[in-house]
Amino acid sequence: MYLQCQLLGLHEQIKKEHGNNLVPAFPPKKIFTLTPNDVEQRREQLEKYMQAVRQDPMLGASEMFNSFLRKAQQETQQIPTEEVPLEIYLSNGQKVEVNILTSDQTEDVLEAVASKLDLPDELVGYFSLFLVREGVDGGLTFVRKLQEFELPYVSVTSLRSSEFHIILRKSYWDTAYDSDVMDNRVGLNLLYAQTVSDIDRGWILVNKDQHRQLKSLQEKGSKKEFIRLGQTLKYFGYIKFDPCVTDFPEKGCHVIVSAGNNELNFQVKLPNEQMKEGSFKVTRMRCWRVTSSVPVVNGSSSPTPGPCSSAKCEVKLELAFEYLMSKDRLQWVTITSPQAIMMSICLQSMVDELMVKKSGGSIKKMLRKRHSGPLHRSESQQAVKSPPLLDSPDPNRDQIVKLSTKLSSVSLRGISASNSANDISGNDFHGNYAFEGIGDDDL
């Protein structure tokens, strides 16, 4: 109820500043006692309202809106603004402790880590902070990339579990940018540690001969050569997700999804136990969406492991994308996974990187200047976009959710008229494919 009142207050402030015509309508309240279904419907309405505000370029980028998001995080968790230590993990397991404010956003923390490591300002934009969960076997589950509106300290401490921590990892996909990072001693060490870690975890495939070569380079301390060899290996630079379920090529298939090289790679186990592998290029996804389902539980159901910490809810997340299977045939492909949001963020960052490269720009991040030192932020903080709020499940799969700006969906039609090469092998998934979007030849 308190949060609803805050949202209504935000709505009135935005309406006063930007006018009625620009601001979406606020969901009306019911005067009668709400049933559990009413509460869930109300939650969905408020989420859609927040999503509508974010989608508007002016409203979503306003300091008023982003200040509300920052304050909401602290107030929801009842965490006051104070100086605290925060541990950030590197890929090799090493910890870097930085002193920050609980109200510091992701960019503030990232800059503090870079300063502690002596990473040059011009390379900070090549790295990001990720929230991960470490299993008992040492395996990492990537929960999400921390968005710039987030307060990292609040995000990790609110989970109240030592399994969760924040890790520093490169944020780009194109291996051509590795050269920029490797020219710096600290950047080289970070990239080397990530490559070694990904190989050790089995994320990068290595045969016996390659393993012998890598071991030799490691013993010689030849880090650049180690990374160069790593770049030639399958799945270098990919993020591997936990096993989940897909409806492609048929419903109920178990799949391991990896994101990298501007694609989602599927390793699918069919109902007949046969294994198939194929890839879906982001340049041939017309759009995608993330949906959530939070059913009301009468107390007899138990929640599934995942982002939902409430004992009374069970969150089901799906990533669905519309893919050009052939010249004239589009098909929806759905992945059911607690990591659906992270998958969506990966797709969006791939598209952003492709668009920057196509325009001849640079991925280097424009860092805002600090005026009052590392622990005293200016009152006017940089306005940023947050990740998508989740749509409620839509039973009508034919409806296409198109979102502009940096949200969970993107339409790529009309950007160019070139065709890309086939990305799903005919030996695995059937079909010949062409895409009228960003073609491989354009890149």
Side-chain angles (χ1 to χ4, degrees), residues 141-186:
T141 295
F142 277 70
V143 179
R144 67 178 181 273
K145 176 182 176 181
L146 295 184
Q147 301 298 289
E148 293 191 24
F149 84 97
E150 281 194 74
L151 312 184
Y153 179 83
V154 176
S155 293
V156 71
T157 56
S158 63
L159 294 169
R160 296 178 176 83
S161 172
S162 59
E163 294 180 345
F164 294 91
H165 53 257
I166 299 172
I167 190 171
L168 180 72
R169 184 180 174 89
K170 74 176 186 179
S171 60
Y172 57 90
W173 303 98
D174 190 342
T175 56
Y177 294 120
D178 287 343
S179 297
D180 297 343
V181 176
M182 290 192 293
D183 284 342
N184 174 263
R185 175 185 55 82
V186 177

Side-chain angles (χ1 to χ4, degrees), residues 103 150 181 211 242 252 271 285:
S103 58
E150 281 194 74
V181 176
H211 185 272
D242 293 345
M285 296 179 186

Side-chain angles (χ1 to χ4, degrees), residues 402-443:
K402 293 182 181 179
L403 303 181
S404 59
T405 69
K406 296 183 179 180
L407 295 173
S408 64
S409 299
V410 62
S411 175
L412 297 177
R413 291 194 302 177
I415 296 176
S416 75
S418 299
N419 293 331
S420 63
N422 295 347
D423 53 287
I424 298 183
S425 169
N427 295 326
D428 298 322
F429 299 148
H430 299 292
N432 296 315
Y433 312 102
F435 178 73
E436 294 180 359
I438 303 180
D440 294 340
D441 295 338
D442 295 330
L443 303 176

Side-chain angles (χ1 to χ4, degrees), residues 11-12 14-26 59:
H11 173 75
E12 295 299 330
I14 295 177
K15 189 167 62 173
K16 183 177 180 180
E17 182 171 327
H18 297 281
N20 290 328
N21 294 333
L22 188 62
V23 183
F26 193 81
L59 300 181

Side-chain angles (χ1 to χ4, degrees), residues 112-301:
V113 175
S115 177
K116 190 72 173 285
L117 293 173
D118 201 24
L119 183 69
D121 289 346
E122 60 269 19
L123 292 182
V124 175
Y126 288 83
F127 294 88
S128 292
L129 299 176
F130 295 84
L131 180 65
V132 301
R133 184 176 72 243
E134 185 172 359
V136 291
D137 60 350
L140 287 185
T141 295
F142 277 70
V143 179
R144 67 178 181 273
K145 176 182 176 181
L146 295 184
Q147 301 298 289
E148 293 191 24
F149 84 97
E150 281 194 74
L151 312 184
Y153 179 83
V154 176
S155 293
V156 71
T157 56
S158 63
L159 294 169
R160 296 178 176 83
S161 172
S162 59
E163 294 180 345
F164 294 91
H165 53 257
I166 299 172
I167 190 171
L168 180 72
R169 184 180 174 89
K170 74 176 186 179
S171 60
Y172 57 90
W173 303 98
D174 190 342
T175 56
Y177 294 120
D178 287 343
S179 297
D180 297 343
V181 176
M182 290 192 293
D183 284 342
N184 174 263
R185 175 185 55 82
V186 177
L188 173 62
N189 289 335
L190 290 173
L191 189 56
Y192 172 75
Q194 179 177 314
T195 305
V196 172
S197 174
D198 288 356
I199 291 174
D200 289 345
R201 295 182 190 281
W203 286 17
I204 299 175
L205 296 187
V206 181
N207 61 34
K208 290 183 178 180
D209 184 57
Q210 292 164 341
H211 185 272
R212 178 183 56 78
Q213 295 178 55
L214 290 168
K215 186 177 181 181
S216 175
L217 292 172
Q218 197 169 22
E219 291 173 348
K220 295 177 182 177
S222 303
K223 296 180 182 179
K224 282 190 178 182
E225 290 76 10
F226 185 97
I227 295 171
R228 293 298 185 198
L229 178 56
Q231 291 173 336
T232 68
L233 304 178
K234 193 171 184 178
Y235 304 131
F236 176 85
Y238 282 63
I239 288 179
K240 189 175 182 180
F241 299 98
D242 293 345
C244 52
V245 177
T246 181
D247 63 359
F248 188 89
E250 52 186 292
K251 290 185 178 180
C253 290
H254 293 273
V255 61
I256 294 178
V257 179
S258 298
N261 194 29
N262 300 320
E263 67 182 21
L264 289 183
N265 176 271
F266 276 30
Q267 298 178 56
V268 180
K269 184 178 183 180
L270 301 177
N272 62 4
E273 302 298 316
Q274 187 178 6
M275 296 298 297
K276 295 289 185 179
E277 180 178 359
S279 295
F280 296 91
K281 289 291 185 181
V282 69
T283 50
R284 293 160 71 180
M285 296 179 186
R286 194 175 82 85
C287 60
W288 68 82
R289 64 191 178 195
V290 175
T291 60
S292 69
S293 174
V294 187
V296 177
V297 181
N298 58 14
S300 61
S301 299

Side-chain angles (χ1 to χ4, degrees), residues 287-352:
C287 60
W288 68 82
R289 64 191 178 195
V290 175
T291 60
S292 69
S293 174
V294 187
V296 177
V297 181
N298 58 14
S300 61
S301 299
S302 59
T304 58
C308 182
S309 58
S310 171
K312 297 183 179 181
C313 71
E314 178 179 310
V315 177
K316 178 182 178 181
L317 294 176
E318 290 184 344
L319 170 70
F321 56 88
E322 193 177 29
Y323 197 78
L324 195 66
M325 293 293 180
S326 61
K327 187 174 182 180
D328 301 312
R329 185 170 71 91
L330 287 162
Q331 178 180 336
W332 281 98
V333 177
T334 301
I335 304 168
T336 303
S337 168
Q339 294 174 286
I341 296 175
M342 181 63 191
M343 293 179 189
S344 175
I345 291 173
C346 288
L347 291 176
Q348 184 62 63
S349 61
M350 290 177 190
V351 172
D352 291 343

Side-chain angles (χ1 to χ4, degrees), residues 48-66:
K48 289 181 178 180
Y49 168 80
M50 292 286 284
Q51 187 178 40
V53 173
R54 284 190 223 174
Q55 290 183 54
D56 185 276
M58 184 178 295
L59 300 181
S62 68
E63 172 59 23
M64 181 186 302
F65 180 65
N66 284 277

